[in-house]
Amino acid sequence: MVIDCHGHYTTAPKALQVYRDAQIAALKEPSKPRQKGVLNITDAEIRESLEGAQLKFQRERGTDVTIFSPRASGMAHHVGDATTSLHWSEHCNDLIHRVCSLYPDNFVGVCQLPQSPGVSPESCIGELERSVNDLGFIGCNLNPDPSGGHWTAPPLTDRYWYPLYEKMTELDVPAMVHVSSSCNPNFHATGAHYLNADTTAFMQFLTADLFKDFPTLRFIIPHGGGAVPYHWGRYRGLAQDMKRPPLDELIRDHVYFDTCVYHLAGIELLLEIVPVDNILFGSEMVGAVRGIDPETGHYFDDTKRYISQVESLTPDDRRKIFEGNARKVYPRINKRLATD
Amino acid sequence: MVIDCHGHYTTAPKALQVYRDAQIAALKEPSKPRQKGVLNITDAEIRESLEGAQLKFQRERGTDVTIFSPRASGMAHHVGDATTSLHWSEHCNDLIHRVCSLYPDNFVGVCQLPQSPGVSPESCIGELERSVNDLGFIGCNLNPDPSGGHWTAPPLTDRYWYPLYEKMTELDVPAMVHVSSSCNPNFHATGAHYLNADTTAFMQFLTADLFKDFPTLRFIIPHGGGAVPYHWGRYRGLAQDMKRPPLDELIRDHVYFDTCVYHLAGIELLLEIVPVDNILFGSEMVGAVRGIDPETGHYFDDTKRYISQVESLTPDDRRKIFEGNARKVYPRINKRLATD
């Protein structure tokens, strides 16, 4: 079985954006009562949005199931306030739930959290519980920078985040560390902000003792870990200079990288450097890069193809990357998917 | 000849920090007149600070000359105001000039700019001219985020920076894009902020037409280009989706990466992916990572050793990386150094 740990509903029917636009427009009339409103999308529209995109690529590329969450750049936690974010997150998560119900063999849900700048992550616990207990989701996406490029929240290792981590631990769900769109003109979202957040989060984990406080807490750092594997020597050296544990030991049961790296040389480096137990197959397909690489004739984001080209991987390594590690990091997936 | 394009005076005599501490303390007494003050450092102290460090490593590693600038994390442009930054930069640059005068065969100077958050880069022109015309420096370090981790300045491609670029063009000097210390607790300086800035700057250059306005403007992105070479496929794909020129063409005469990547696999990726004409040897030695790699028994930052291990490089490639490209990007170095 091939589990893609990183997929967003980037092709959602237009009504979703219509809802969001109206929600944002309503923020300009703060005197009116806040209403969650209704999202009108038919099952047929959902099917149509997926059949020519994610489902088609699953078939063509030979992947079985995608761990699926709302569009990352759409989360935009910096817009409005906690109520805005809650209404928006509930709708987005409900939509993912409908996708997973229509295609239970193809998608398993991960939720967007109703984060908001300056608001305690405690406010996200209700939606996390609802997503896991009621909707059958298996994890969450956690935005380390709900301000959208101004980085005003404390580091992920700060006690500020602990109430959420306590609930994640209780529910036994991991978080993918994933920022959203950037409202800071310095940071292009998919070309800078995403990768910077990955790099930033890793260094936060390296420099603190978060995992002593939460021995079962798990994070997936997407986009192949940002800059980290390329600079693995730098991080090994920094850890050593700071008298921190060796990286392999530090990340072993806690920090995982996906394979969203869109060329063979990058994937080769990732697989050579990072322990195989810490790598989860992911593609973020129909995401940041939509085109076909003229050098290969294949989609840039067909990451399964690159992994297949790395001959040094043993069959056991492949099973871990494509399936085993995802089942370990997202254990609730095992209730949803039979073993091969 | 081997030119190391990336060295900072990280081992400066203690009197430099004593000066800085006093300068910062004086900021708490704004009613007193601002004074530049005096820096008391003897030639013997300068010699002593270098003999056991940079000079020793030049000899041991077989590098000839280092393009040398004030300590990057010491620039701290977010401290005080433009006057604070000017006094501090003048002292730091004068000290580099003394190093270069004492050891003209070993060091060539690059200046720190007196940037300050919210102050036009135009204010840096005087110190750039003084450094180049009076002190014989060959380039500058440009901080894209003088706020120290809050990223409040416009992108490097904004017209905000143009007055400085006009002067750089006139003087025919490049800038290394280099942030300083971080006062945002999210960003560890050398483990996140530095690499994020590299990644961020590259994406800014990719998305704008800066080099149409400045056809001879040149930037060095340090630390092996941050996350960029590891994600080269992502950037090629983003450029294609955005109908931008191919990366090789876009960077050819404008954007260069150094080799400050502290393990062999990272250096192999860099040399495999990035055109050889765009790579300058650099080590940032006695910098972010000071230790010896237990896996190799050699210093992490002995990057010359990794490059020497890459057998696919031709002798001509090596000459470009170790010398030719530095002479091309920093043409004023040719007046200082004889050809082999």
Side-chain angles (χ1 to χ4, degrees):
Chain A
M1 180 177 286
V2 176
I3 301 171
D4 183 341
C5 80
H6 193 174
H8 302 293
Y9 196 6
T10 52
T11 60
K14 280 183 186 167
L16 185 67
Q17 192 58 47
V18 171
Y19 169 88
R20 180 64 163 171
D21 292 344
Q23 189 195 34
I24 293 171
L27 291 171
K28 291 176 186 156
E29 301 180 84
S31 60
K32 288 197 181 172
R34 307 289 285 279
Q35 296 196 318
K36 183 176 165 183
V38 178
L39 187 63
N40 287 312
I41 292 177
T42 65
D43 283 357
E45 285 170 331
I46 293 176
R47 289 184 189 280
E48 193 190 339
S49 73
L50 295 164
E51 288 289 352
Q54 286 84 356
L55 289 167
K56 169 171 165 275
F57 289 126
Q58 282 187 352
R59 284 190 299 270
E60 287 181 4
R61 300 179 187 180
T63 66
D64 297 293
V65 59
T66 301
I67 297 179
F68 208 53
S69 58
R71 191 165 63 99
S73 63
M75 299 188 297
H77 294 115
H78 58 276
V79 171
D81 58 17
T83 303
T84 315
S85 225
L86 181 62
H87 290 165
W88 175 232
S89 297
E90 286 174 350
H91 276 308
C92 287
N93 291 332
D94 285 344
L95 192 59
I96 294 295
H97 180 239
R98 289 178 65 194
V99 167
C100 298
S101 303
L102 285 170
Y103 299 97
D105 294 336
N106 300 89
F107 298 102
V108 180
V110 151
C111 72
Q112 165 179 331
L113 294 172
Q115 297 177 248
S116 190
V119 178
S120 165
E122 212 164 347
S123 68
C124 299
I125 288 177
E127 183 60 5
L128 177 63
E129 285 190 305
R130 187 182 79 94
S131 296
V132 174
N133 292 330
D134 300 351
L135 307 183
F137 286 13
I138 62 169
C140 59
N141 290 335
L142 178 61
N143 184 347
D145 173 29
S147 74
H150 296 291
W151 290 92
T152 55
L156 289 176
T157 47
D158 192 280
R159 299 189 75 85
Y160 175 80
W161 302 94
Y162 275 27
L164 183 64
Y165 297 160
E166 284 165 13
K167 184 55 65 177
M168 284 168 56
T169 301
E170 181 195 317
L171 295 171
D172 201 15
V173 296
M176 178 174 278
V177 179
H178 208 308
V179 287
S180 185
S181 57
S182 158
C183 55
N184 184 325
N186 279 287
F187 304 129
H188 184 276
T190 53
H193 192 41
Y194 282 22
L195 304 178
N196 291 351
D198 304 334
T199 308
T200 299
F202 183 83
M203 192 61 191
Q204 293 176 0
F205 295 143
L206 190 157
T207 46
D209 282 327
L210 175 63
F211 302 118
K212 283 192 181 163
D213 288 343
F214 293 97
T216 63
L217 191 63
R218 302 177 301 280
F219 293 100
I220 302 92
I221 301 188
H223 320 109
V228 174
Y230 175 49
H231 286 284
W232 199 247
R234 185 180 191 87
Y235 288 100
R236 285 200 297 111
L238 284 168
Q240 180 173 295
D241 285 357
M242 301 168 84
K243 313 223 181 301
R244 298 290 301 159
L247 293 192
D248 291 9
E249 187 183 310
L250 198 138
I251 69 173
R252 187 169 297 137
D253 298 317
H254 301 291
V255 181
Y256 304 85
F257 299 145
D258 77 10
T259 64
C260 293
V261 176
Y262 296 157
H263 64 149
L264 177 59
I267 289 288
E268 284 175 335
L269 175 88
L270 172 67
L271 299 182
E272 179 185 342
I273 292 298
V274 174
V276 70
D277 289 324
N278 294 80
I279 301 173
L280 275 64
F281 169 65
S283 74
E284 205 173 9
M285 66 178 175
V286 204
V289 177
R290 307 270 173 119
I292 289 174
D293 185 349
E295 292 185 10
T296 66
H298 296 271
Y299 283 98
F300 279 106
D301 67 6
D302 184 358
T303 56
K304 179 162 175 282
R305 221 185 122 260
Y306 308 128
I307 298 168
S308 302
Q309 287 173 268
V310 178
E311 290 175 5
S312 59
L313 287 180
T314 67
D316 190 47
D317 290 344
R318 281 176 208 280
R319 270 192 300 271
K320 285 179 173 178
I321 292 170
F322 284 125
E323 177 180 357
N325 293 342
R327 288 184 180 273
K328 180 179 70 179
V329 176
Y330 294 87
R332 283 176 176 265
I333 204 171
N334 295 310
K335 297 176 192 159
R336 297 289 311 277
L337 302 178
T339 315
D340 267 347
Chain B
M1 179 176 287
V2 176
I3 301 170
D4 183 341
C5 80
H6 192 174
H8 302 294
Y9 196 5
T10 52
T11 60
K14 279 182 186 169
L16 185 66
Q17 192 58 46
V18 170
Y19 169 88
R20 180 64 163 170
D21 291 343
Q23 190 195 33
I24 292 172
L27 291 171
K28 291 176 186 155
E29 301 181 84
S31 61
K32 288 195 181 173
R34 307 290 284 278
Q35 296 195 318
K36 183 175 167 186
V38 179
L39 187 62
N40 287 312
I41 293 177
T42 65
D43 284 357
E45 286 171 330
I46 294 177
R47 289 184 189 281
E48 193 191 338
S49 73
L50 295 164
E51 287 290 352
Q54 287 84 356
L55 289 168
K56 170 173 164 273
F57 289 126
Q58 282 186 352
R59 283 190 300 269
E60 287 181 5
R61 301 180 187 179
T63 66
D64 297 293
V65 59
T66 302
I67 298 180
F68 208 52
S69 58
R71 191 166 62 101
S73 62
M75 299 188 296
H77 294 115
H78 57 277
V79 171
D81 58 17
T83 303
T84 315
S85 225
L86 181 61
H87 290 166
W88 175 232
S89 297
E90 286 175 350
H91 276 307
C92 288
N93 291 332
D94 285 344
L95 192 59
I96 295 295
H97 180 238
R98 290 178 65 195
V99 168
C100 298
S101 302
L102 286 170
Y103 299 98
D105 294 336
N106 300 89
F107 298 102
V108 181
V110 151
C111 71
Q112 165 179 331
L113 295 172
Q115 297 177 247
S116 190
V119 178
S120 166
E122 212 163 348
S123 68
C124 299
I125 288 176
E127 183 59 7
L128 177 63
E129 284 189 306
R130 186 183 80 92
S131 297
V132 173
N133 292 332
D134 300 351
L135 307 183
F137 286 13
I138 62 170
C140 59
N141 291 335
L142 178 62
N143 185 346
D145 172 30
S147 73
H150 295 292
W151 290 91
T152 55
L156 289 176
T157 48
D158 193 278
R159 300 188 75 85
Y160 175 80
W161 302 94
Y162 276 27
L164 182 64
Y165 297 160
E166 283 164 13
K167 185 54 65 177
M168 283 168 55
T169 301
E170 181 195 317
L171 296 171
D172 201 14
V173 295
M176 178 174 280
V177 178
H178 208 308
V179 286
S180 186
S181 57
S182 158
C183 54
N184 184 326
N186 279 287
F187 304 129
H188 185 277
T190 53
H193 191 41
Y194 282 22
L195 304 178
N196 291 351
D198 304 334
T199 307
T200 299
F202 183 84
M203 192 62 191
Q204 292 175 0
F205 295 143
L206 189 157
T207 46
D209 283 326
L210 174 63
F211 303 117
K212 283 192 182 163
D213 288 343
F214 293 97
T216 63
L217 191 63
R218 302 177 301 280
F219 293 99
I220 302 91
I221 300 188
H223 320 110
V228 173
Y230 175 49
H231 286 284
W232 199 247
R234 185 180 190 87
Y235 288 100
R236 285 202 294 111
L238 284 168
Q240 180 173 292
D241 285 357
M242 299 167 85
K243 312 223 182 299
R244 299 290 301 160
L247 294 193
D248 291 8
E249 186 182 312
L250 197 136
I251 69 172
R252 187 169 296 139
D253 298 318
H254 302 291
V255 181
Y256 303 84
F257 299 145
D258 76 11
T259 64
C260 294
V261 176
Y262 296 157
H263 63 149
L264 177 59
I267 288 288
E268 284 175 334
L269 176 87
L270 172 67
L271 299 182
E272 177 185 342
I273 291 299
V274 174
V276 70
D277 289 325
N278 294 80
I279 300 173
L280 275 65
F281 169 65
S283 74
E284 204 173 7
M285 66 177 174
V286 204
V289 178
R290 306 269 173 119
I292 289 175
D293 185 349
E295 292 184 9
T296 65
H298 295 270
Y299 283 97
F300 279 106
D301 66 5
D302 184 358
T303 56
K304 179 161 174 283
R305 222 185 121 259
Y306 308 128
I307 298 168
S308 302
Q309 289 172 267
V310 178
E311 290 176 4
S312 59
L313 287 180
T314 67
D316 191 47
D317 290 343
R318 282 176 207 279
R319 269 193 300 273
K320 286 180 173 177
I321 292 169
F322 284 124
E323 178 180 356
N325 293 341
R327 288 184 180 274
K328 179 180 71 180
V329 176
Y330 294 88
R332 282 176 177 264
I333 204 171
N334 295 310
K335 297 175 194 160
R336 297 288 310 277
L337 303 177
T339 315
D340 268 345

